[in-house]
Amino acid sequence: MTIRQPDPENGAAVRANMIRLTKKLLFAIEAVLDIAYNGGHTPVRSSEITERQGIPRRYLEPVLQELVRHKILLGIRGPSGGYRLARERRRISLGDIVRTLRGLETAEDPIVDPAGSALGHQIVRPLWLDLQEEMMKRLDSLTLEDLCGRAHRAGISGRTAEYTDFEI
């Protein structure tokens, strides 16, 4: 979701909520990819993700819960519980994950900061927003299925051979 706010210099709308490459975002992508690559129809425990990916649990649990709230993952309770994809791998894009994690960002977006010059507000910030829009289009075009294929071609071991990505 893109938020538009008025530019203090010229009144034009600017899109807020800049994409930041944070540890949380990287860990979220790695965790969801781990679930897609290793889980299939079997739930994946967060402890397994921590073991395979080296993601500290203090980062992992809140991220997984946020992904459940946004229907990217399903949380399964019980002794054989864990996390599964909420949709098929080909129907979850990196853009979906990025948008979900942007909601956890607490830092203020510098794009909407009223400080700055005319060059910054009229040239640099709009350029940055255009670049972000292009990046989101690219992220929207990359699915978990694509990344699982890359992992398979790279020879990374996982349970993808056991898992077909379709529902009847």
Side-chain angles (χ1 to χ4, degrees):
M1 180 172 78
T2 302
I3 302 167
R4 295 187 178 268
Q5 296 185 358
D7 182 319
E9 290 290 313
N10 63 15
V14 296
R15 291 153 291 190
N17 210 351
M18 186 169 82
I19 300 169
R20 296 174 196 263
L21 186 59
T22 63
K23 280 184 181 182
K24 264 186 195 169
L25 179 56
L26 282 175
F27 290 159
I29 293 168
E30 289 174 19
V32 175
L33 180 56
D34 184 280
I35 293 166
Y37 199 62
N38 292 298
H41 298 292
T42 307
V44 175
R45 292 188 172 118
S46 60
S47 59
E48 294 174 287
I49 298 169
T50 295
E51 190 175 307
R52 278 192 293 266
Q53 304 303 325
I55 301 171
R57 288 192 74 159
R58 71 178 184 275
Y59 283 104
L60 188 59
E61 288 297 336
V63 164
L64 293 173
Q65 289 304 310
E66 190 71 13
L67 292 162
V68 167
R69 276 191 286 284
H70 283 85
K71 297 180 177 32
I72 292 173
L73 297 178
L74 294 173
I76 290 109
R77 297 179 191 263
S80 59
Y83 297 92
R84 285 186 33 220
L85 298 178
R87 302 185 299 265
E88 299 162 309
R89 296 188 307 202
R90 68 175 188 251
R91 298 190 189 282
I92 300 173
S93 74
L94 287 182
D96 296 331
I97 298 167
V98 168
R99 282 183 195 86
T100 297
L101 270 287
R102 284 164 100 180
L104 294 178
E105 261 307 309
T106 56
E108 190 172 311
D109 189 346
I111 293 289
V112 297
D113 188 339
S117 67
L119 284 173
H121 283 284
Q122 295 175 30
I123 306 301
V124 176
R125 292 177 192 197
L127 172 64
W128 197 256
L129 291 170
D130 289 344
L131 291 171
Q132 279 191 176
E133 195 169 306
E134 286 178 37
M135 185 159 63
M136 283 308 300
K137 285 179 184 174
R138 178 78 170 114
L139 291 170
D140 285 335
S141 74
L142 288 168
T143 66
L144 290 176
E145 183 70 23
D146 298 327
L147 296 183
C148 286
R150 287 181 184 200
H152 181 71
R153 288 188 299 279
I156 297 172
S157 63
R159 295 187 294 194
T160 54
E162 308 168 10
Y163 177 54
T164 47
D165 189 26
F166 66 89
E167 293 178 1
I168 298 177

